[in-house]
Amino acid sequence: MKNFEYRKVSTLEEAFHLLEMHGEGASILAGGTDLLVKMRHETLDPEILIDLKGVPGLDEIRYEAPTGLRLGALTLIHALETSPLVKEKFGIVSQAASSLGSYQTRCRATLGGNLCNASPAADMVPALISLGAKAKLSCKSGDRFLPLEDFFSGPGRNSLRPGEILIDIQVPDPSALTGFHYTKHSIRKAMDLAVAGVAVVLSLDPGKDRCSDAKIALGAVGPVPMRALGAENFLRGEKLGEKMIAQAALLSSEEAQPITDIRASSEYRREMIRVLTYRALKKVLENLRPGRTIQ
Ligand SMILES: Cc1cc2nc3c(=O)[nH]c(=O)nc-3n(C[C@H](O)[C@H](O)[C@H](O)COP(=O)(O)OP(=O)(O)OC[C@H]3O[C@@H](n4cnc5c(N)ncnc54)[C@H](O)[C@@H]3O)c2cc1C
């Protein structure tokens, strides 16, 4: 690893100033579980690391009705996995968090790092996209907000402009009668990136028959995490039964843009998207309509 300067800042202003001074030579350091691996492999050699862990408030989980949930960029994955508030109101976020890496990794890795690293297989992304999350990005001259699904521009690339830092993620309150589920397939049961991941958020009408809204987000099957918009449109307004969810799962797999790599072939990934979408839709429906068989 090449030599580098390390600065632990205690305010965002300090961080913005250092980013401006060092330009592309600076990297933000959160938990380091992605960054330090890249530095060791010398695919990245920053001249300065700007450690944000000393900035107060960046690791906060806050909920305010009616705006919803705010997750600071430095929130640990383990905190998302275990927070009673997140588990109760936004269970899909805890589910995704508990599927990431190992206990040790989750106790070090942050939400912001998972998003900014922009791996197409990042576990937190499909769950947050399916909830309609927005990212708050700030620099010296102000803030801007971006729908999370527009934050990714390619494998390992995000939409942060020079000098910008991801501050938090804002998740709107789901409407009543909404259920969600994240499921991932990986080669090993633990400590492994997804071969395919699917997050489903479904809302039902008051009679619990028809789908009033559907969001399906796919991970690890395209250059960036993506929505299965065709499958979502197919479900909206319809009575949900076995045939509908099987067809939506097929549509979702047709929309995926998987590649073949060391983890799996593109054909296998596409088939896994069909299977995972079907399972996730079924699970959500079972939870929303307990005791009712899906026909
Ligand atoms: C053994 C192991 C297993 C893993 N398993 C999984 C897995 O199953 N699923 C999965 O999704 N990931 C996995 N990962 C990857 C990694 O742990 C996660 O992506 C993690 O959330 C990254 O967070 P971090 O805080 O460590 O980020 P860092 O490594 O500190 O940063 C990652 C990148 O984001 C930038 N960055 C961080 N925070 C900000 C910010 N606030 N603003 C701007 N830029 C920022 C950094 O400059 C860097 O480029 C694994 C990693 C390891 C080592």
Side-chain angles (χ1 to χ4, degrees):
M1 206 191 277
K2 301 214 171 108
N3 285 341
F4 58 89
E5 193 186 335
Y6 168 83
R7 291 284 292 275
K8 186 165 185 174
V9 296
S10 49
T11 63
L12 281 174
E13 289 64 37
E14 264 181 273
F16 294 143
H17 175 68
L18 289 170
L19 280 174
E20 191 175 46
M21 267 176 55
H22 294 272
E24 286 188 353
S27 283
I28 296 291
L29 173 68
T33 61
D34 279 317
L35 187 69
L36 296 183
V37 175
K38 287 184 186 166
M39 288 171 67
R40 274 213 178 277
H41 291 161
E42 299 196 351
T43 52
L44 193 75
D45 57 341
E47 64 194 49
I48 179 168
L49 290 189
I50 306 168
D51 187 344
L52 294 183
K53 287 190 287 295
V55 180
L58 277 188
D59 61 352
E60 260 178 28
I61 298 177
R62 265 192 300 153
Y63 175 78
E64 280 164 27
T67 36
L69 186 68
R70 269 175 198 243
L71 303 170
L74 271 277
T75 304
L76 290 177
I77 300 297
H78 180 62
L80 296 175
E81 181 188 6
T82 53
S83 154
L85 167 70
V86 178
K87 271 171 131 170
E88 189 202 325
K89 280 193 155 294
F90 301 85
I92 193 170
V93 175
S94 307
Q95 241 182 355
S98 63
S99 79
L100 188 151
S102 61
Y103 174 73
Q104 289 88 339
T105 315
R106 297 195 287 277
C107 288
R108 187 76 201 165
T110 65
L111 174 64
N114 193 244
L115 306 181
C116 292
N117 188 56
S119 158
D123 278 309
M124 298 313 299
V125 181
L128 288 166
I129 286 182
S130 67
L131 287 169
K134 275 188 304 190
K136 179 179 175 185
L137 314 174
S138 302
C139 65
K140 211 174 154 189
S141 57
D143 309 326
R144 66 185 175 113
F145 294 86
L146 206 59
L148 189 61
E149 60 191 276
D150 298 337
F151 181 64
F152 307 96
S153 45
R157 294 205 315 272
N158 61 46
S159 306
L160 281 169
R161 295 176 185 150
E164 275 186 335
I165 293 175
L166 171 67
I167 303 298
D168 64 30
I169 293 295
Q170 306 184 0
V171 189
D173 236 346
S175 57
L177 279 181
T178 295
F180 16 66
H181 190 69
Y182 175 67
T183 175
K184 129 189 194 185
H185 175 67
S186 48
I187 305 296
R188 293 179 304 185
K189 275 258 174 277
M191 290 269 285
D192 208 359
L193 283 177
V195 159
V198 175
V200 164
V201 174
L202 268 190
S203 304
L204 298 184
D205 67 2
K208 295 194 183 181
D209 266 334
R210 287 183 193 275
C211 166
S212 55
D213 198 12
K215 290 210 178 66
I216 303 174
L218 313 178
V221 287
V224 294
M226 56 182 287
R227 298 254 304 271
L229 293 171
E232 294 178 3
N233 288 335
F234 176 76
L235 291 171
R236 260 182 223 120
E238 298 295 333
K239 271 194 168 179
L240 296 186
E242 178 68 32
K243 272 195 188 151
M244 290 300 292
I245 62 174
Q247 182 61 21
L250 185 64
L251 287 175
S252 166
S253 74
E254 286 168 1
E255 289 178 79
Q257 302 160 19
I259 55 160
T260 296
D261 65 11
I262 48 160
R263 285 199 166 77
S265 68
S266 64
E267 294 79 8
Y268 182 70
R269 283 195 154 100
R270 196 180 289 286
E271 176 58 7
M272 283 318 300
I273 288 294
R274 189 189 65 74
V275 172
L276 297 178
T277 308
Y278 174 81
R279 284 185 192 158
L281 285 168
K282 193 160 182 175
K283 183 93 189 156
V284 175
L285 272 184
E286 281 167 359
N287 288 343
L288 284 171
R289 307 194 294 213
R292 237 168 95 173
T293 5
I294 299 164
Q295 291 162 351

